[in-house]
Amino acid sequence: MNVLGFLYVGLATAMLIPAIVDVAQKNADWQAFVFSALLTGLFGMLLSLAVGGSLREGLDTRQTFILTTLSWATLPAFGALPFLWLGIGYADAVFEAVSGFTTTGSTVLTGLDSLPPGLLVWRSMLQWMGGVGIIVMAIVLLPFLRIGGMQLFQSESSDRSEKIVSRSVELIRLIGLAYLFLTVLCIAAYLATGMELFDAFNHALTTIATGGYSTHDESFGYFKNPASGWVAVVFMIIGAMPFVLLIQALRGHPLQLWRDPQVRALLGFLALVSLTLTVYLGINMRFPFEEALLRATFNVVSIVTGTGYALGDFSQWGAPVVGIAFLLMFVGGCTGSTTGGIKIFRFLVFFGTVRAHLRRMVRPHRIMSEEYAGTRLTPELSFSVLAFLVVYMGSVGIITVALSFFDLDLVTAISAAATSVGNVGPGLGPVIGPAGHFAPLPDGAKWLLSFAMLVGRLELFTVLVLLDPDFWSK
């Protein structure tokens, strides 16, 4: 409760930035942010004062599960307050805030070009704050909680006990500095392509966070300079890289990135799918090579990294493209990045486990050992990854069935489930596709999808473990 209180106060402080933007633009909507900041900050301070004192001891595993889930579940509830100023319902406001914090990028808002500037900045800030929170969670917390094979990335310098100790503070500081540096670099790159400062600032925040919120209804189709699209491609890929390795690269060891199997696999996969789609668009859609290459690469990278930007309505490019886009929703980037989805390293572990099983079928008495980046894949690690894959696909299936009770067609239901659990952004079909939005969905479906976005962002088991009675027993 003490930590949650401090988080709410931090969120309230962040709300003052869009308020300042509205004041500078002589927009009366600054009142929404000031009122929301006062309410959020007051609640946070009262919560911290009620429990008293400071956190002197580290959190054990059970406390970390509870804190992680509560923080991600409750921060969007306060982050949604400024959206109520628009006159939209609380279900829409929470959906927009959850989509922002989880860097999903699905939206219920239309007419973005005419929205108050402060509100557009707040949407971008939600994704930027959520992005750095995701990195910290993936690098510092999930390896200790041994979720979905994340124990493979437990830092050797970290305390091997079940405590989340202050030694992680230095790592968090480095993550924050690297994240800020890359954001500033992205802003400068967008400005160099001719973007206005307001657009460059907002899109840099949502690009490096692989979030996908834009200041325009056309998303990146609004910008006519192809260089802006290529800058987005580069920084979406950077956002999908392991941030621990990015920090090492920024400190003078760039080859550390290439030595990671998941980085090589991700770049190779993106190149293969992008080139395949480029050829398809050139032959079937008669696009010139440069345009086909940009549109194919941009949309493939956007979907795989879970950013959710759109450069054209790819649902109009034929059934094969729609099918590929659906499958890409499940992939994700590297672990320790801002991306959602299953993650590349889990696919590598899965394929390694399948390969070892096939070899054992041929030679049952031969002892074989599969490795990942020099680390032997133990049965526990392989089982952890396989269990995650089963639960992940099962979650998408259950949410799809649940959405069908709201009279949604199959394409809308299954793509909404996949994009929410994978934190991707747009779905498929005429309603929630790249040219659509989630506003037409019933409120019940929006609440369900908000839950799906949170569960997907928390890597499923962080929430599911709270439902186990043994978790609460002493």
Side-chain angles (χ1 to χ4, degrees), residues 344-384:
I344 287 291
F345 94 91
R346 291 193 178 104
F347 284 107
L348 295 178
V349 172
F350 171 73
F351 291 135
T353 302
V354 171
R355 183 169 58 245
H357 180 68
L358 292 176
R359 289 175 177 174
R360 279 193 292 269
M361 290 175 66
V362 177
R363 297 180 176 87
H365 302 294
R366 182 178 175 184
I367 298 176
M368 287 165 288
S369 176
E370 290 291 327
E371 292 186 349
Y372 175 90
T375 302
R376 190 173 70 87
L377 297 181
T378 63
E380 179 204 0
L381 183 61
S382 297
F383 177 81
S384 182

Side-chain angles (χ1 to χ4, degrees), residues 348-469:
L348 295 178
V349 172
F350 171 73
F351 291 135
T353 302
V354 171
R355 183 169 58 245
H357 180 68
L358 292 176
R359 289 175 177 174
R360 279 193 292 269
M361 290 175 66
V362 177
R363 297 180 176 87
H365 302 294
R366 182 178 175 184
I367 298 176
M368 287 165 288
S369 176
E370 290 291 327
E371 292 186 349
Y372 175 90
T375 302
R376 190 173 70 87
L377 297 181
T378 63
E380 179 204 0
L381 183 61
S382 297
F383 177 81
S384 182
V385 170
L386 293 175
F388 180 88
L389 291 174
V390 170
V391 172
Y392 189 99
M393 301 307 295
S395 299
V396 173
I398 291 171
I399 293 169
T400 299
V401 173
L403 288 172
S404 67
F405 285 94
F406 295 98
D407 293 327
L408 302 183
D409 63 272
L410 178 60
V411 172
T412 300
I414 194 171
S415 65
T419 195
S420 297
V421 176
N423 304 121
V424 176
L428 300 174
V431 181
I432 61 172
H437 49 83
F438 285 71
L441 301 187
D443 283 353
K446 292 171 187 172
W447 283 112
L448 178 60
L449 292 175
S450 297
F451 173 76
M453 287 187 280
L454 286 171
V455 171
R457 178 47 68 196
L458 289 170
E459 302 271 332
L460 302 170
F461 285 98
T462 310
V463 177
L464 293 178
V465 73
L466 301 181
L467 304 179
D468 185 359

Side-chain angles (χ1 to χ4, degrees), residues 87-248:
I88 65 176
Y90 192 60
D92 284 350
V94 169
F95 181 94
E96 196 75 12
V98 169
S99 180
F101 267 113
T102 59
T103 71
T104 302
S106 304
T107 185
V108 295
L109 300 181
T110 57
L112 299 177
D113 301 78
S114 59
L115 285 181
L119 200 67
L120 293 174
V121 169
W122 181 237
R123 295 170 80 241
S124 303
M125 285 182 61
L126 287 177
Q127 294 202 323
W128 192 80
M129 291 185 293
V132 72
I134 290 159
I135 297 169
V136 170
M137 181 182 73
I139 294 175
V140 179
L141 300 181
L142 296 186
F144 285 92
L145 303 181
R146 311 178 75 78
I147 291 173
M150 291 294 289
Q151 60 267 35
L152 185 65
F153 302 95
Q154 188 166 337
S155 173
E156 293 180 0
S157 62
S158 300
D159 189 346
R160 287 290 182 175
S161 71
E162 295 300 312
K163 295 284 186 179
I164 307 300
V165 295
S166 60
R167 194 173 300 181
S168 302
V169 173
E170 176 64 15
L171 180 57
I172 294 172
R173 184 184 71 84
L174 291 174
I175 291 170
L177 289 175
Y179 193 70
L180 182 61
F181 171 76
L182 291 171
T183 304
V184 173
L185 194 63
C186 188
I187 293 174
Y190 277 139
L191 288 173
T193 66
M195 267 195 196
E196 295 182 0
L197 178 59
F198 185 77
D199 284 337
F201 174 80
N202 282 279
H203 285 86
L205 262 59
T206 59
T207 301
I208 205 66
T210 60
Y213 274 161
S214 177
T215 54
H216 303 284
D217 284 324
E218 293 181 73
S219 190
F220 254 80
Y222 177 86
F223 305 107
K224 305 308 177 186
N225 188 351
S228 299
W230 285 115
V231 168
V233 168
V234 170
F235 280 93
M236 283 189 289
I237 293 175
I238 290 175
M241 294 289 107
F243 255 73
V244 168
L245 299 184
L246 282 177
I247 292 171
Q248 293 180 13

Side-chain angles (χ1 to χ4, degrees), residues 232-363:
V233 168
V234 170
F235 280 93
M236 283 189 289
I237 293 175
I238 290 175
M241 294 289 107
F243 255 73
V244 168
L245 299 184
L246 282 177
I247 292 171
Q248 293 180 13
L250 292 172
R251 300 177 83 177
H253 303 283
L255 291 179
Q256 291 292 340
L257 268 172
W258 184 249
R259 292 192 184 107
D260 192 333
Q262 60 177 334
V263 172
R264 297 196 301 270
L266 175 64
L267 294 178
F269 178 75
L270 291 175
L272 177 62
V273 179
S274 298
L275 289 175
T276 302
L277 191 56
T278 298
V279 174
Y280 173 87
L281 293 179
I283 296 174
N284 290 68
M285 304 301 296
R286 307 294 183 185
F287 285 153
F289 175 75
E290 294 81 2
E291 183 181 358
L293 182 62
L294 174 58
R295 287 179 178 267
T297 306
F298 186 98
N299 286 294
V300 167
V301 171
S302 179
I303 297 172
V304 170
T305 62
T307 308
Y309 286 142
L311 186 59
D313 185 0
F314 58 77
S315 64
Q316 302 298 316
W317 297 347
V321 178
V322 175
I324 292 173
F326 177 71
L327 293 179
L328 293 181
M329 290 180 182
F330 293 88
V331 180
C334 300
T335 187
S337 70
T338 61
T339 60
I342 291 174
K343 303 288 192 309
I344 287 291
F345 94 91
R346 291 193 178 104
F347 284 107
L348 295 178
V349 172
F350 171 73
F351 291 135
T353 302
V354 171
R355 183 169 58 245
H357 180 68
L358 292 176
R359 289 175 177 174
R360 279 193 292 269
M361 290 175 66
V362 177
R363 297 180 176 87

